[in-house]
Structures are given as structure tokens and as C-alpha cells.
Amino acid sequence: MFDAGGLYGLISSTRAYLTHHPALVRSLIFARHTYYRCLKGYNALADPFELIEIDPNNITMANREIDKYLASGAIRGGNWDRQTQPYERSLKYRSVEQRFCHEKEWEETDIHDELCRRIETEGEADGCYSISDLERRYERIDQLYKSIKEHGYDPSQNYDGADTRIETSLDQICVSIGRDGELIFCGGGNHRFSIAKILDLDAIPVRVVVRHRKWQRKREKIANGAHEIDATVHPDFQDIISQSYP
């Protein structure tokens, strides 16, 4: 029989696997793009699976309310791009900084006790179901840091042991783009992203999940030949420059 935590962990894992299954995500993206093209008249729709190169230091804010899987390819209005928090205040970033900049043991970092508590009470935290799982995860993150420091960041590598609940090629560092082109972290690869910032990497590839409706209008203008917007100044315009739109 499962205890309460073990049962919760099983339910959480099953739900995450089903709702983030690649087939479901791809179906949602196809439906969205069909709607945007046919009913909204958008032509400059970006490929939600394509990665763009960005300077990690240009991402300072985060919005963790965006589902990095189920929201893929969405174009949204509203103020979600203003409802953000400083990324470097996050628990994971602080803990990575404590580990690799201040040479603390993982057990001394801010996040350790919180993850242990969740494993004990909920049966799962960050894809870990026991303290032993958590210790192995930290060993992988140490290896991740060493690999990125010595060889740079490669998005094709499964560095830190992808969450076993979610087996999908969509599991990349994810951003969304606000109305003025601001890059907003929205989940995926927290440790990879934090390490990239700490190591001051010049560029990393990221996957764009959501674009603000006002930003998408700028993409449409460029695709339609508008000259008042400099398409070379933002990495999200590069696909438009390289393609021809009707």
C-alpha cells in the first residue's frame, strides 16, 4: 500500500506524464497554429520547436505561471509579461550560486531542506522520490557544472537527468517574450540556466513558449516588409529574416 506521500507522488508523476506527453503538446501546437492562421490571419508564426540563441544575462525576470509544455506556441495579450519576479531571487538560482560560487555543500544550500520536506510530505520533489534520489541528482548537477564550464552548453545533451516523468524533446531552457521583446524565463533547465549565468556564458539556446500579442504584431510587420523596425536587433526576428512570408 502507498502512504500519503507515495500516492501523491504517483498521481503527480502520472498527471505530469500525460499532460506533458509530446503527442499532446504537438497536437495543441498544431491546433493553435491552425487557429492563428485561419482566424487571426497571422503569417509570421514561429516554429515552437526551434531554438534561438540569446545572451543569458539579458534574462533577469521570470514568470513561473506559464506552462512550458501546454502553452507552447501561444500568443497572449494581457499583462502576464508584467507579472514577473527577479530570477536571481529564486531558490534554485540562489542554491546554485551558493554551491558553485561560495563552495557550499548541497546540504547547506537554501533549497535542500525544502526539497527534503516535499519528498517526505508529498512523496516527490523535482522528479526525486527519496533522499537517495536527491543525492544522485546533486551529483549530476555537479557534473553538469563541470561539463558546461569545460565544454560549453549543448542543448542536445541530457546533462542533469531530465525529469523522468516527462520524456520530451521540448525539455529545454524556456523563455517567453513580452510586448517589448523582453525575454522572460518561464521554466525548464533551471540549473542549466543558473549555471550559464554564473559562468557568464556569451550565448545559450532557448525555446520560446509564449509571445505577447503586441510582440507578434511586430513580427507580422517585419514579415510584411515594414522598414520602421530593425529586424537585426532581436534574436526572435532571425527566422523572419531567413524566410519569405506571403
Side-chain angles (χ1 to χ4, degrees), residues 3-34:
D3 58 24
L7 181 58
Y8 181 91
L10 177 63
I11 294 172
S12 174
S13 297
T14 302
R15 177 183 178 277
Y17 178 79
L18 292 175
T19 58
H20 298 153
H21 192 282
L24 173 61
V25 174
R26 291 174 189 274
S27 296
L28 286 172
I29 290 171
F30 177 79
R32 277 197 184 102
H33 277 209
T34 300

Side-chain angles (χ1 to χ4, degrees), residues 168-188:
T168 170
S169 61
L170 297 173
D171 190 21
Q172 300 287 341
I173 297 172
C174 293
V175 302
S176 290
I177 302 180
R179 69 193 70 190
D180 297 319
E182 57 272 38
L183 299 166
I184 303 166
F185 180 80
C186 62

Side-chain angles (χ1 to χ4, degrees), residues 40 59 74 98 107-108 119 139 142 156 162 168 202 215 241:
K40 293 295 184 179
I59 305 176
Q98 289 164 356
E107 291 77 9
E108 301 175 288
I119 289 171
E139 290 174 1
D142 286 344
S156 68
T168 170
D202 292 332
W215 181 252
I241 295 174

Side-chain angles (χ1 to χ4, degrees), residues 35 46 51 67 75 77 97 119 134 163 168 179 196 221 238:
Y35 169 76
L51 304 181
D67 190 308
I75 298 168
E97 186 179 48
I119 289 171
L134 187 60
D163 190 334
T168 170
R179 69 193 70 190
K221 287 182 179 180
Q238 299 310 303

Side-chain angles (χ1 to χ4, degrees), residues 16-233:
Y17 178 79
L18 292 175
T19 58
H20 298 153
H21 192 282
L24 173 61
V25 174
R26 291 174 189 274
S27 296
L28 286 172
I29 290 171
F30 177 79
R32 277 197 184 102
H33 277 209
T34 300
Y35 169 76
Y36 292 145
R37 285 194 182 95
C38 297
L39 297 181
K40 293 295 184 179
Y42 289 139
N43 290 316
L45 294 173
D47 180 352
F49 303 99
E50 184 175 343
L51 304 181
I52 65 172
E53 291 276 333
I54 59 95
D55 181 345
N57 292 311
N58 287 340
I59 305 176
T60 60
M61 306 302 286
N63 181 326
R64 298 178 185 277
E65 301 303 314
I66 296 171
D67 190 308
K68 61 182 179 286
Y69 298 103
L70 299 184
S72 293
I75 298 168
R76 295 178 177 173
N79 290 320
W80 60 265
D81 58 333
R82 299 293 190 253
Q83 297 164 349
T84 58
Q85 308 82 36
Y87 178 77
E88 293 185 7
R89 293 183 188 174
S90 68
L91 197 57
K92 285 189 177 179
Y93 179 85
R94 295 201 316 268
S95 298
V96 168
E97 186 179 48
Q98 289 164 356
R99 172 61 173 160
F100 298 114
C101 295
H102 304 295
E103 300 183 345
K104 289 188 175 184
E105 297 297 323
W106 281 111
E107 291 77 9
E108 301 175 288
T109 63
D110 291 347
I111 201 170
H112 183 267
D113 288 348
E114 170 63 16
L115 293 182
C116 288
R117 181 196 64 77
R118 286 172 52 194
I119 289 171
E120 181 178 354
T121 59
E122 301 175 5
E124 181 272 333
D126 265 10
C128 298
Y129 300 90
S130 67
I131 302 303
S132 296
D133 283 349
L134 187 60
E135 291 172 351
R136 286 191 290 270
R137 178 166 174 76
Y138 284 143
E139 290 174 1
R140 291 195 298 269
I141 295 171
D142 286 344
Q143 294 169 3
L144 162 67
Y145 176 81
K146 181 179 178 181
S147 176
I148 294 178
K149 184 176 182 180
E150 294 179 355
H151 306 293
Y153 178 68
D154 180 354
S156 68
Q157 296 293 319
N158 183 14
Y159 287 114
D160 54 346
D163 190 334
T164 54
R165 300 171 303 175
I166 306 165
E167 296 180 5
T168 170
S169 61
L170 297 173
D171 190 21
Q172 300 287 341
I173 297 172
C174 293
V175 302
S176 290
I177 302 180
R179 69 193 70 190
D180 297 319
E182 57 272 38
L183 299 166
I184 303 166
F185 180 80
C186 62
N190 273 279
H191 295 106
R192 287 167 276 171
F193 180 52
S194 296
I195 288 170
K197 289 178 75 69
I198 286 169
L199 291 175
D200 197 26
L201 298 186
D202 292 332
I204 58 171
V206 300
R207 184 172 69 82
V208 179
V209 179
V210 176
R211 289 173 174 82
H212 197 280
R213 185 180 299 133
K214 291 183 178 179
W215 181 252
Q216 181 63 30
R217 288 173 185 160
K218 293 182 180 180
R219 287 178 54 88
E220 297 294 324
K221 287 182 179 180
I222 292 173
N224 290 327
H227 298 292
E228 68 269 21
I229 302 173
D230 184 355
T232 66
V233 300

